[in-house]
């Protein structure tokens, strides 16, 4: 029942560990976050992070899992809502 949060570093070209975690875990166990103001994803690395950049994390997860961006967004939203009890 645990979830793993994936942030901006998954987009870094040398971050093989996080990419491996994303590849191995079912989407049902993943969340996405920006971890603002740090850990900004590519192509904004080195700048102050912001919530709008969460798109780049979801896009990278979709690329790794070879699924659509929309599927990642829908499932990670469902995962977050369940974790916070927002569907109760």
């Amino acid at each position: 029942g645990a979830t793993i949060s994936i942030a901006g570093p998954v987009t870094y070209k040398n971050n093989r560990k996080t990419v491996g975690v994303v590849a191995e875990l079912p989407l049902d166990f993943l969340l996405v976050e920006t971890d603002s103001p740090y850990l900004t994803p590519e192509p904004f690395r080195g700048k102050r992070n912001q919530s709008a950049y969460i798109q780049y994390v979801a896009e990278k997860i979709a690329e790794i899992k070879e699924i659509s961006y929309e599927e990642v967004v829908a499932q990670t939203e469902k995962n977050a809502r369940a974790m916070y009890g927002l569907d109760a």
Side-chain angles (χ1 to χ4, degrees), residues 6-82:
I6 306 299
V10 73
T11 66
Y12 302 170
K13 71 177 182 175
N14 292 324
N15 190 346
R16 292 179 186 94
K17 287 183 181 182
T18 307
V19 169
V21 167
V22 169
E24 290 296 320
L25 284 177
L27 191 56
D28 301 12
F29 294 95
L30 298 180
L31 298 170
V32 292
E33 69 170 318
T34 58
D35 201 22
S36 289
Y38 307 107
L39 303 176
T40 309
E42 295 291 347
F44 302 103
R45 190 172 181 184
K47 298 180 181 173
R48 183 177 177 88
N49 204 357
Q50 55 183 284
S51 297
Y53 297 162
I54 202 166
Q55 168 188 348
Y56 297 93
V57 176
E59 287 173 348
K60 184 64 176 186
I61 292 170
E63 175 188 318
I64 294 165
K65 294 196 153 300
E66 299 179 341
I67 59 176
S68 73
Y69 167 79
E70 292 78 15
E71 186 175 349
V72 172
V73 170
Q75 185 61 52
T76 56
E77 178 181 354
K78 182 178 175 183
N79 298 348
R81 294 181 72 76

